[in-house]
Amino acid sequence: MEIKAPYLLFLGDAADALAAKTSIGVGQWRPEKCLGQVRLPGCKADSGFPDMTAREAAAKGAKTMIVGTVNRGGVISKAWMKALLAALDAGLDLASGLHNRLSDVPELARAAARKGRRLIDVRHPDREFPIATGAKRAGKRVLTVGTDCSIGKMYTSLALEKAMKARGMKATFRATGQTGILIAGSGWSIDAIVSDFVAGAVETLSPANHPDHWDVIEGQGSLFHASYAGVTMALIHGAQADALVMCHEPGRPHMRGLPHYKLPDIETCIAVNVAHARLTNPKAKCVGVSLNTSKLTPKAAERAIKATADRLGLPCVDPSRTGVDALVAKLAKIK
């Protein structure tokens, strides 16, 4: 599933920045691929790119409009139709991470067929996958895992890729969720893959590579989350990771969406994730912790980072406050 760049970012009528986080995230992590944005009346979000029409963007070389906003219910809004049809008419593909398919909207399907444009629904893989084999693959892999869902695994993965490349290391971010796919321009949304084939899909996503090349694989879910542990387990086995980075949010009161489940302690979470990772890579190990301290004051965040590092004897970072160089330094030593 590959998405052609450059991009025009569609923010629609987003009520706030959170509603447009996908478009904003694409702009933040892949600014070189973005030309402009489309905002409808009432939009209260801004990606920082120039406002322009689809025709203006197409004239500047845009290939795809990223539908990177959500509304209540996560559906394709009728209020967006004029802008989506205008993009197709201007010669752009449409790419969306929403639950319902662009291709299921008759007006869009007809317009895309008429113009020879693609409707890319990144939540829905466009191919079949093999069953995983667990066979050793060349190259190196780091997987982000977490004590819970929505805790910073994608952000940490992208920060690792950026820092590794800045250090001169060969590294590729491998997306496993819809926002990550729209940022990377390729990947598989593994939560939409039949369970028997998730590990195989991850093997396909991260194939054999140069011995010094690192795949930075975006994690999903948590082994300790009653709803999504199965996805995480298959991802861990298919990744065949050499290194794990544990992601955690200090002070989170309970598992996301499950108030009757407390978060596990980091030590237990590391031990269990490493144990399962060693099924397909006996040398797998945790190289450090990434904390999401966005809800803490700077001083409290500094204390949490230091306390975690001292307690575990591992590097601990917050990608948005400290960067991830301490983790990259550990990865660089893995042979």
Side-chain angles (χ1 to χ4, degrees), residues 14-307:
D16 52 31
L18 184 61
K21 67 176 183 178
T22 296
S23 278
I24 292 172
V26 173
Q28 176 184 1
W29 290 104
R30 294 294 185 266
E32 72 281 0
K33 291 186 175 183
C34 302
L35 294 177
Q37 65 181 9
V38 173
R39 294 187 293 173
L40 301 180
C43 182
K44 294 181 174 61
D46 191 343
S47 68
F49 289 89
D51 291 298
M52 60 179 65
T53 67
R55 289 213 170 273
E56 289 170 339
K60 292 179 179 293
K63 302 297 183 185
T64 304
M65 186 162 82
I66 302 293
V67 184
T69 188
V70 296
N71 52 19
R72 186 178 296 276
V75 297
I76 298 168
S77 170
K78 291 182 179 179
W80 303 347
M81 290 301 297
K82 184 177 179 180
L84 301 185
L85 290 169
L88 293 170
D89 189 59
L92 304 182
D93 293 338
L94 293 179
S96 166
L98 295 171
H99 285 283
N100 60 331
R101 298 173 187 257
L102 293 166
S103 55
D104 285 343
V105 180
E107 287 179 89
L108 296 178
R110 288 194 295 268
R114 187 171 64 251
K115 291 291 183 177
R117 297 294 91 206
R118 295 189 305 157
L119 300 177
I120 306 166
D121 295 292
V122 301
R123 278 187 180 271
H124 306 280
D126 56 2
R127 57 158 289 176
E128 295 182 349
F129 298 100
I131 292 175
T133 67
K136 176 67 177 173
R137 313 193 294 282
K140 300 175 183 177
R141 291 162 190 87
V142 55
L143 172 69
T144 50
V145 292
T147 54
D148 194 10
C149 305
S150 302
I151 210 158
K153 294 183 286 291
M154 183 190 75
Y155 195 98
T156 299
S157 299
L158 287 161
L160 284 170
E161 182 205 37
K162 184 176 181 179
M164 292 167 83
K165 287 183 173 179
R167 191 184 174 111
M169 298 169 69
K170 302 182 185 74
T172 304
F173 169 67
R174 302 297 188 183
T176 60
Q178 67 274 16
T179 300
I181 293 169
L182 291 170
I183 290 171
S186 62
W188 306 123
S189 188
I190 64 168
D191 64 0
I193 297 172
V194 174
S195 58
D196 279 359
F197 304 101
V198 173
V202 179
E203 289 184 350
T204 302
L205 179 70
S206 176
N209 212 317
H210 189 278
D212 290 331
H213 179 277
W214 280 93
D215 273 345
V216 184
I217 303 173
E218 175 191 9
Q220 298 291 336
S222 169
L223 287 179
F224 288 81
H225 198 291
S227 305
Y228 307 115
V231 172
T232 308
M233 180 72 83
L235 180 54
I236 287 172
H237 290 160
Q240 203 175 93
D242 300 279
L244 303 178
V245 172
M246 180 59 60
C247 301
H248 177 69
E249 181 183 357
R252 184 175 287 201
H254 56 75
M255 303 297 284
R256 184 174 173 84
L258 301 177
H260 50 296
Y261 275 88
K262 292 183 179 180
L263 263 70
D265 61 76
I266 300 177
E267 292 91 338
T268 298
C269 204
I270 288 174
V272 172
N273 275 269
V274 169
H276 287 299
R278 286 180 174 169
L279 174 70
T280 53
N281 187 343
K283 295 183 178 180
K285 62 183 179 180
C286 180
V287 296
V289 175
S290 176
L291 294 184
N292 176 352
T293 65
S294 59
K295 295 180 180 177
L296 302 181
T297 65
K299 287 188 178 180
E302 184 178 353
R303 289 194 297 269
I305 291 168
K306 184 178 186 306

